[in-house]
Every structure is written in structure tokens, then in C-alpha cells.
């Protein structure tokens, strides 16, 4: 492509972020680094960069096209995650492709094309160039792989990194306990890491739905990812504490700050809360007053008023990869129970680990059929002392307008340990109490 004079159009933003420096060594041995650099794919970082939102701001030409012409850019990446908003909070569409196909798409400058047949560009000789004109044969690929691969690359790359003067110059505390810094915007002691007696929960409780969601809500919808916008609640929180508005970093780098993560929950642009479907993502209705509030603010208001909350969703709730904060964040919102048509297995387990009871909705119920509105409440009869794996749990929906309906949900507790974790309030309280007893 370089020899033929091809380059990505000016509106295409390119970046190359290999998994480790060992990959850079292989690319150099293969003689590819200069060619990649010439096409705009110089190495910008290592590890989770592009796929977690560290590719930087949108190009001005792209931002202007989005604002003035309503154009919706598309991400093409060779990572393994294409969830909406993950690469950039304003970009909701993404295509997964192998690294050379990512380069091919970049050369074309178009997302909608048959990359195997459509022209990728015009060469310096005026001829149309297609993928077949650029793609090497299997024999060429095997030969380059054999010449470029060295099993010592990983060890050498890690040794070089560990020998870095910058790494050795980092200061680290040496005490037995971590010295929490009250001024830090990266590491904040989370409220769920505390000693104390188990929370006493009544045999039944009546709760307000904090959120009512549809199908396929992933952990990337729940837990914030990508860059932290300066205009977001999380961004304003950081700026008020002295952070540079131009360098707020990405949510993944702030995972040690629960206050930042809390403010980013459910703010993915594609999340629709059926309690207020026309409102921006991350908003809900505080039922006692009817106010439209950020989810985390409404959760605080419910907690101060002593009103329990639950979350309701459809099929396949919790698929995705941002797993730890999807469960931690739900706990911080004060949600006692998540009721869904079905759960991804790891997220189900993580909810239990945070002391949150996962309930499979009665067979005839769904977010659509329930049609919940602000002011409707959900009564759950789940006596923790009587819970067993796969226990039947009676659930009653009380309508604000009057009337009610009752169904039998299923507690998705698979083992005796799951039951014990729910009774203890989660894995962290259980471990801390065991440690204190010992």
C-alpha cells in the first residue's frame, strides 16, 4: 500500500497499540514498522489503549461532521470488544477485524463496503487498488512469521521494562496498611470495604425500581468505559478536585476511585431507562417527587429516605467484559435485587459476591409486559434465613394507580456458598468478618 502511494483519508484517525513491546520486536524483525508508520499506524502505546478509550479525542473534522451534518463515524478495531461507546463515548458503532483488515478499512475511509471486493483507493499510477492487490500469499505470511518470531521476545521485553529508571524511581509506601490519601483522585477507600455486623434484612421488602432496562444490557452499559468527558458528572467531580479538564484520563484508570465510577454508571449513550425513555442515559425518576435526576443522585435520595431499590432488566443481563465495577457499582447504588429475564453467568456470580440477590423474573413477566412507571413498587418476599439454591421467591408489583399482580421468581443462587454470601452481604464482608474472628 505504501509503495502504491495509498494513505488513509484525512478524516480517518489511526493508531496502533500492540499488546506488549514483544509484538513491536516481531513487527520490527518483519520489516513492517516503517511501512505501518508511513500509513499512520505508528505505535502509540501498549496494552489496553484503543479498545478502552485511550485513543484520544475525535479529529476536529470528524467532530464537526457529527455536529453539523449528523454523520455517525464508525470504529474499526482489532480488539475483542465492540460495545457501544467503549472506544469513544460519542461513537456507538464498531466493527471487529484482523489488524491487516483494519488497515484496509482505514485506507478506504468508508465503513460501509465489501472490503474483499470494493476499491480501497487509487494508486500513484492512477489504477484502482483492491485488497487482493495488497494481500500477501499464505507462503509469504508463513515465511515472514518464521523469520520474525523469537520465543525470547517476551522475556526480553519485560526485562527491559523492569529495568526502566522511571519504574525504579517510583515511590511506594512500605507500611503494613495502605496510607489512603484524602486528596487522591485515583485511589479512594470504597465504602463496601468496612468491618461491621451483617446487615439485618427483613423477610420481605417493598422497593422502588431505580432503573427498568431492556434486553442485552452489557457490563459495558452498566460500568463506565472510555474517556471521561469534562461535561459529565464524573468529569465535573474530578475538575472540582483539581484535575486538568483536558486530561481526565479514562474510566478504567480511575477504577480505584469509587466516586468517579459511581457517577459514570449507566451513562452509556445507548442505555434506555423505561421509567423515562426520552431522557439522556444515566437519568431516572425519583418517584416520591417525580424529579428527573442522575441515577447516582436518585440512589442517594432513596437511601437517605430509607427506601429500598431494585433494578429490572430483560434477557442476557450482564454480558460483556467490564465485570467488576458492574457489580460493585450496582451495590453502591443501593440496589438490593436485580430482576431479569436471564443473566450472564459471571455477572450473576459477581452480583451475589456483592450481596445482591439475582432473581429470574416469572416466566410471563418482562420489562415490556410489566410496563412499570414511576411510583410503581415491587414487593419481594425473600427471607434470607430461608433461602436455598433455586428457591422460589414471591414478587408482587403494586401499581401507583391501584391494583397489583403477583408472580413466582427464581432466586439464581446455585450453591450453598451463594446462599451464605447473600446472608453475609457479600464476599468482602464475609472475608473481613472471618479475618477479624481469626
Amino acid at each position: 500500500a505504501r509503495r502504491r502511494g495509498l494513505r488513509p483519508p484525512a478524516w480517518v484517525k489511526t493508531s496502533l497499540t500492540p499488546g506488549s513491546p514483544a509484538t513491536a520486536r516481531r513487527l520490527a524483525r518483519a520489516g513492517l514498522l516503517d511501512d505501518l508508520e508511513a500509513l499512520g499506524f505508528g505505535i502509540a502505546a501498549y496494552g489496553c489503549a484503543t479498545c478502552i478509550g485511550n485513543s484520544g479525542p475525535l479529529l476536529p473534522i470528524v467532530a464537526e461532521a457529527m455536529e453539523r451534518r449528523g454523520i455517525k463515524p464508525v470504529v474499526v478495531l482489532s480488539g475483542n470488544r465492540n460495545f457501544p461507546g467503549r472506544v469513544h463515548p460519542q461513537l456507538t458503532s464498531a466493527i471487529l477485524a484482523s489488524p491487516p483488515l483494519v488497515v484496509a478499512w482505514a485506507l478506504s475511509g468508508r465503513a460501509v463496503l465489501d472490503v474483499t471486493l470494493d476499491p480501497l483507493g487509487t494508486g500513484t499510477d492512477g489504477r484502482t487498488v483492491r485488497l487482493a492487490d495488497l494481500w500477501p500469499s499464505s507462503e509469504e505470511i508463513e515465511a515472514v512469521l518464521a523469520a520474525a518470531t523469537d520465543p525470547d521476545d517476551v522475556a526480553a521485553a519485560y526485562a527491559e521494562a523492569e529495568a526502566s529508571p522511571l519504574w525504579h524511581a517510583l515511590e511506594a509506601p512500605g507500611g503494613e496498611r495502605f496510607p489512603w490519601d484524602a486528596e487522591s483522585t485515583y485511589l479512594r477507600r470504597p465504602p463496601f470495604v468496612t468491618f461491621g455486623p451483617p446487615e439485618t434484612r427483613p423477610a420481605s421488602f417493598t422497593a422502588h425500581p431505580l432503573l427498568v432496562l431492556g434486553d442485552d444490557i452489557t457490563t459495558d452499559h452498566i460500568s463506565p468505559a472510555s474517556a471521561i468527558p469534562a461535561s459529565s458528572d464524573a468529569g465535573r467531580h474530578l475538575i472540582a478536585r483539581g484535575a486538568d479538564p483536558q486530561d481526565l484520563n479514562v474510566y478504567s484508570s480511575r477504577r480505584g476511585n469509587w466516586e468517579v465510577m459511581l457517577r459514570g454508571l449507566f451513562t452509556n449513550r445507548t442505555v434506555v431507562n423505561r421509567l423515562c425513555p426520552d431522557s439522556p442515559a444515566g437519568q431516572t425518576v425519583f418517584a416520591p417527587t417525580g424529579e428527573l435526576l442522575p441515577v447516582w443522585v436518585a440512589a442517594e435520595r432513596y437511601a437517605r429516605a430509607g427506601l429500598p431499590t431494585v433494578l429490572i432488566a430483560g434477557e442476557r443481563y450482564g454480558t460483556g467484559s467490564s465485570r467488576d465495577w458492574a457489580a460493585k457499582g450496582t451495590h453502591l447504588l443501593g440496589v438490593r435485587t436485580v430482576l431479569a429475564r436471564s443473566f450472564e453467568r459471571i455477572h450473576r456470580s459477581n452480583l451475589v459476591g456483592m450481596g445482591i440477590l439475582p432473581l429470574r423474573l416469572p416466566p410471563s413477566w418482562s420489562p415490556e409486559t410489566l410496563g412499570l412507571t414511576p411510583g410503581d413498587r415491587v414487593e419481594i418476599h425473600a427471607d434470607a434465613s430461608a433461602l436455598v439454591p433455586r428457591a422460589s421467591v414471591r414478587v408482587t408489583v403494586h401499581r401507583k394507580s391501584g391494583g397489583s399482580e403477583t408472580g413466582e421468581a427464581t432466586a439464581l443462587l446455585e450453591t450453598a456458598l451463594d446462599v451464605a454470601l447473600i446472608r453475609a452481604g457479600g464476599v468482602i464482608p464475609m472475608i473481613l468478618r472471618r479475618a477479624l474472628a481469626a
Side-chain angles (χ1 to χ4, degrees):
R2 181 186 181 187
R3 285 197 302 270
R4 291 173 181 261
L6 299 186
R7 278 193 60 83
W11 60 83
V12 175
K13 182 168 186 173
T14 55
S15 66
L16 173 60
T17 56
S20 78
T23 304
R25 290 168 175 261
R26 296 189 185 109
L27 290 172
R29 204 175 289 119
L32 286 170
L33 284 181
D34 288 344
D35 291 327
L36 287 167
E37 180 84 42
L39 296 184
F41 287 93
I43 293 178
Y46 295 106
C48 292
T50 300
C51 73
I52 198 60
N54 261 323
S55 57
L58 297 175
L59 295 173
I61 189 174
V62 173
E64 183 180 7
M66 292 178 68
E67 181 178 352
R68 295 190 178 183
R69 298 166 57 192
I71 290 177
K72 296 182 179 180
V74 174
V75 178
V76 183
L77 72 157
S78 63
N80 63 352
R81 299 163 184 147
N82 63 343
F83 299 111
R86 189 177 177 97
V87 172
H88 191 280
Q90 291 180 267
L91 306 183
T92 57
S93 298
I95 298 170
L96 297 183
S98 65
L101 285 181
V102 171
V103 176
W105 248 288
L107 292 172
S108 77
R110 297 176 293 131
V112 181
L113 82 159
D114 183 337
V115 74
T116 64
L117 297 176
D118 293 341
L120 302 182
T122 303
T124 52
D125 58 2
R127 294 183 178 181
T128 296
V129 179
R130 290 180 168 81
L131 187 66
D133 301 318
L134 307 176
W135 200 266
S137 67
S138 297
E139 291 75 18
E140 287 178 287
I141 294 173
E142 293 298 329
V144 172
L145 274 176
T149 301
D150 186 334
D152 295 328
D153 278 343
V154 173
Y158 273 81
E160 183 179 331
E162 291 187 350
S164 165
L166 292 174
W167 177 255
H168 286 283
L170 288 174
E171 296 183 4
E176 291 185 359
R177 296 181 179 179
F178 183 78
W180 297 99
D181 178 4
E183 303 301 317
S184 175
T185 58
Y186 278 91
L187 293 171
R188 308 285 292 165
R189 183 172 180 171
F192 47 73
V193 183
T194 56
F195 287 98
E199 178 187 358
T200 301
R201 295 187 177 183
S204 66
F205 64 93
T206 301
H208 287 276
L210 182 64
L211 290 154
V212 179
L213 308 168
D215 295 339
D216 296 307
I217 295 296
T218 73
T219 51
D220 283 76
H221 290 109
I222 305 167
S223 175
S226 189
I228 302 174
S231 60
S232 66
D233 284 358
R236 288 193 292 268
H237 174 81
L238 289 170
I239 293 168
R241 282 150 185 79
D244 182 354
Q246 303 301 317
D247 188 23
L248 297 179
N249 217 320
V250 294
Y251 281 105
S252 62
S253 72
R254 302 276 186 179
R255 280 185 289 198
N257 186 336
W258 66 272
E259 292 167 306
V260 169
M261 300 301 286
L262 177 67
R263 286 162 170 79
L265 294 168
F266 294 100
T267 57
N268 186 291
R269 295 177 70 195
T270 60
V271 173
V272 176
N273 179 8
R274 294 172 184 268
L275 293 175
C276 47
D278 297 324
S279 301
Q283 304 278 308
T284 195
V285 177
F286 181 61
T289 64
E291 294 173 88
L292 186 67
L293 299 171
V295 171
W296 68 275
V297 175
E300 285 187 351
R301 295 270 292 272
Y302 279 121
R304 286 200 302 268
L307 299 173
T309 59
V310 295
L311 189 151
I312 297 172
E315 299 280 6
R316 297 170 294 279
Y317 182 76
T319 57
S321 58
S322 299
R323 295 191 177 106
D324 61 335
W325 267 104
K328 291 174 185 174
T330 304
H331 172 92
L332 287 174
L333 289 174
V335 171
R336 290 191 179 183
T337 300
V338 175
L339 302 97
R341 293 275 293 171
S342 62
F343 292 81
E344 191 272 344
R345 63 182 184 85
I346 297 177
H347 186 58
R348 180 213 66 85
S349 179
N350 287 347
L351 288 173
V352 172
M354 293 305 299
I356 300 167
L357 178 64
L359 291 180
R360 187 171 61 208
L361 285 166
S364 62
W365 289 14
S366 71
E368 294 83 5
T369 60
L370 286 173
L372 295 170
T373 60
D376 292 344
R377 294 187 298 163
V378 180
E379 184 179 4
I380 296 173
H381 304 266
D383 185 351
S385 64
L387 280 177
V388 295
R390 294 279 171 159
S392 180
V393 174
R394 190 166 82 256
V395 178
T396 302
V397 173
H398 298 281
R399 304 290 180 180
K400 181 182 179 181
S401 58
S404 63
E405 52 191 295
T406 298
E408 294 295 321
T410 302
L412 295 186
L413 306 176
E414 306 297 342
T415 64
L417 177 59
D418 281 352
V419 174
L421 287 171
I422 290 296
R423 291 174 181 168
V427 66
I428 296 176
M430 176 183 282
I431 290 173
L432 291 177
R433 282 195 286 272
R434 286 180 177 175
L436 188 60

